[in-house]
Amino acid sequence: MKILIRLVISAVALWVAEIVVDGVELTTGGTAERVLTLLAVAAIFGVVNAVLKPVIKVLGCAFYVLTLGLFALLVNAGLLMLTSWLAGELDLPFHVDWFWPAFWGAIIVGVVGWLLNLFVSDDD
């Protein structure tokens, strides 16, 4: 159940980023299609983060230390761009244009996700 709640939170965060940031686009018609696409992209984003982020943190540890953690913003933007590419490969109508929309979109996804996760208990 927690995985589904986290998936919905990620989908909502991606939806907010799509609304706020020019260059983060969801090009589909109806509401049901938009919701299903956002859930699918949120699942892709979750898998990309779960698989690649720990590897990048280990390999780029020096950059995290030297930049006082600001390197994480670049990593998150790159992961969002990778998610956009994977969504395109799976014929999902989600696209991030280039680096800056990915950068701001990743910040918004992170902040909105953090805020929504405050309302979800960590108890099992």
Side-chain angles (χ1 to χ4, degrees):
M1 186 67 173
K2 278 188 165 223
I3 292 173
L4 292 176
I5 292 171
R6 304 280 185 206
L7 183 69
V8 169
I9 287 173
S10 293
V12 169
L14 286 166
W15 174 66
V16 171
E18 188 255 335
I19 290 172
V20 173
V21 179
D22 285 336
V24 177
E25 301 167 348
L26 181 61
T27 56
T28 186
T31 303
E33 291 176 31
R34 291 177 70 83
V35 169
L36 291 175
T37 301
L38 283 170
L39 288 171
V41 172
I44 294 168
F45 192 57
V47 170
V48 166
N49 274 316
V51 172
L52 292 179
K53 200 166 191 176
V55 174
I56 294 170
K57 278 187 175 183
V58 169
L59 295 177
C61 182
F63 292 114
Y64 280 94
V65 172
L66 288 173
T67 64
L68 302 175
L70 293 177
F71 184 66
L73 297 173
L74 298 176
V75 169
N76 289 340
L79 294 176
L80 187 59
M81 288 175 29
L82 178 61
T83 300
S84 170
W85 178 78
L86 288 171
E89 291 295 311
L90 296 172
D91 291 329
L92 293 171
F94 179 81
H95 181 68
V96 179
D97 285 339
W98 57 296
F99 175 76
W100 288 112
F103 180 81
W104 294 113
I107 289 174
I108 290 172
V109 167
V111 169
V112 171
W114 174 74
L115 287 172
L116 292 176
N117 277 314
L118 289 176
F119 298 106
V120 177
S121 72
D122 288 333
D123 299 336
D124 289 335

